[in-house]
Amino acid sequence: MASEKYQKIAIVTGANGGVGFGICQRLLEAEGEALTLVMACRNPARANRAKELLLSQFPFAHIDVELVDVGCAKSVLSFSSAIKNKYPHINYLFCNAGILSSCGLNWKAIFVGFVTDPVGLFERSDATIQTVGEINEDGMGKVFAANVFGHYTMMRELEGLLSYTGDGRVIWTSSITAHSRSFDINDWQGILCKEPYESSKWACDLISIASSERFQKEETRIASFTTSPGIVASEIGELPVWVVKARILVHYIMRLCGVASQNITAYNGAIADVYAAFEPLSRLSYFNRYNSLSTRWGKAYVGAQAIPEYDRVTAEKLIEKCELAYQAFKKNFDPAATAPAN
């Protein structure tokens, strides 16, 4: 297709719900008809329902649905091949889709946290018992594959289109729970980790910074940033409905008490992602994590926080491991034999 048809193009993974849907709303509000929004989703039915909802809010919108399972390397490679064949450039790549595998609630941690650190209890995943040792069909840590490696592969495949715009942005949705203590380079896929979600989000931070440093060194016209949506009442974690509803009530109470991380809505949680995409590079630092925050009355704003304990050596080792895995999957990839994700 002729490049004249497209002004700006944004890809949002996990766009059919949660923070991904909020990102789509904010992008369409800001860019209007100038934007072509690519909703990169795994489930076609959910994706099309989300698309119809967005069109009901933004009738002018140009929206495409492209299917991809970010937890499957072949699906990501197939998706990336289709994107390169269809679109002339990419302005924004939002690496947002993710999973948190849980197998129950830690009632002891809930009681202790409620008594000793109620804010921390509702900001972290201490109350959730995460599933340990999950491996996907590629033989990779399941949470790491979906939250990190699939997006790393997508970024690497689409760097040419991102660079073509002269100011391509890669935005990684990290988390306020991400911390170096959850990550071990000897278990870089988080298979043995008791907190694979937190491990994967710290890996997102490491890859985002290391990628920006590489882009600068290679004079590639791309920048990579990491963000946190704060606390959003989403379906991630697959918790019982009653638990989700009870948490929402507590989140509102905490926000009224002045706890700024309690964004609650996906729309509020998405403000940092769009901020990192739109702000001039001179006002951003890839060493910061940009956090979505809300006033007690629900007005969203962005706060910048230096990523603590960033270790360049660890980041470079992680990049090396991801690159080797990416090249191995790419070498064995046969586009003709790969069907779209369902």
Side-chain angles (χ1 to χ4, degrees):
M1 294 185 179
S3 60
E4 291 80 6
K5 177 181 177 180
Y6 301 101
Q7 296 182 49
K8 291 189 176 181
I9 301 172
I11 296 176
V12 182
T13 67
N16 59 272
V19 175
F21 189 82
I23 293 171
C24 294
Q25 291 176 304
R26 286 189 174 275
L27 285 172
L28 291 170
E29 278 183 349
E31 298 285 9
E33 295 184 52
L35 179 76
T36 296
L37 174 64
V38 181
M39 301 177 69
C41 305
R42 182 179 62 84
N43 186 295
R46 292 181 180 179
N48 285 314
R49 283 197 296 269
K51 176 182 176 180
E52 291 304 314
L53 182 55
L54 285 170
L55 287 172
S56 70
Q57 298 174 8
F58 309 97
F60 56 80
H62 305 296
I63 303 175
D64 295 336
V65 171
E66 298 289 343
L67 299 181
V68 62
D69 179 355
V70 292
C72 172
K74 289 183 180 179
S75 177
V76 174
L77 289 168
S78 179
F79 166 86
S80 300
S81 178
I83 292 296
K84 287 186 283 188
N85 287 331
K86 186 173 182 178
Y87 302 100
H89 61 265
I90 299 169
N91 298 85
Y92 317 115
L93 172 60
F94 292 90
C95 301
N96 167 76
I99 60 173
L100 188 162
S101 294
S102 65
C103 55
L105 295 174
N106 186 335
W107 290 104
K108 180 180 179 180
I110 292 173
F111 177 77
V112 173
F114 191 80
V115 173
T116 62
D117 185 13
V119 173
L121 175 64
F122 288 93
E123 285 187 334
R124 302 188 299 267
S125 61
D126 298 12
T128 304
I129 301 173
Q130 297 186 42
T131 307
V132 177
E134 286 189 302
I135 305 292
N136 71 359
E137 294 181 0
D138 293 332
M140 181 170 280
K142 182 178 178 180
V143 174
F144 180 87
N147 295 1
V148 186
F149 183 69
H151 290 120
Y152 177 83
T153 298
M154 191 179 295
M155 178 186 72
R156 293 286 288 116
E157 285 289 291
L158 301 180
E159 283 180 16
L161 295 185
L162 285 160
S163 178
Y164 187 79
T165 66
D167 183 18
R169 304 283 178 98
V170 182
I171 314 300
W172 296 78
T173 300
S174 181
S175 171
I176 58 174
T177 66
H179 198 280
S180 60
R181 64 174 175 267
S182 300
F183 182 82
D184 182 352
I185 193 61
N186 295 314
D187 180 32
W188 57 286
Q189 297 178 28
I191 297 172
L192 303 177
C193 180
K194 292 183 179 181
E195 298 177 332
Y197 179 78
E198 284 79 1
S199 175
S200 72
K201 291 304 181 179
W202 182 252
C204 288
D205 290 340
L206 294 180
I207 288 176
S208 177
I209 296 174
S211 295
S212 267
E213 291 181 329
R214 175 173 65 85
F215 294 146
Q216 283 195 350
K217 183 178 180 180
E218 297 175 355
E219 297 184 351
T220 305
R221 296 171 295 180
I222 308 172
S224 178
F225 299 101
T226 182
T227 66
S228 166
I231 305 303
V232 172
S234 69
E235 296 178 359
I236 193 167
E238 301 176 345
L239 296 173
V241 174
W242 73 268
V243 174
V244 174
K245 291 185 178 299
R247 285 193 61 170
I248 291 174
L249 176 61
V250 176
H251 291 324
Y252 274 109
I253 294 171
M254 294 179 69
R255 191 167 77 185
L256 283 171
C257 292
V259 182
S261 63
Q262 310 297 299
N263 294 303
I264 305 172
T265 67
Y267 182 78
N268 275 20
I271 190 172
D273 293 83
V274 177
Y275 175 89
F278 291 165
E279 280 295 295
L281 288 177
S282 60
R283 297 179 61 180
L284 297 170
S285 169
Y286 56 77
F287 287 106
N288 286 341
R289 184 189 299 137
Y290 292 94
N291 300 315
S292 296
L293 302 167
S294 293
T295 67
R296 67 182 67 224
W297 308 119
K299 181 177 176 58
Y301 65 100
V302 178
Q305 177 188 22
I307 296 175
E309 301 180 20
Y310 171 69
D311 181 358
R312 180 173 284 104
V313 173
T314 300
E316 290 176 350
K317 287 181 180 178
L318 177 59
I319 287 284
E320 181 181 6
K321 292 177 182 295
C322 288
E323 183 67 17
L324 287 172
Y326 158 62
Q327 294 295 344
F329 280 114
K330 184 175 181 179
K331 181 179 180 180
N332 296 320
F333 174 64
D334 180 3
T338 305
N342 291 317

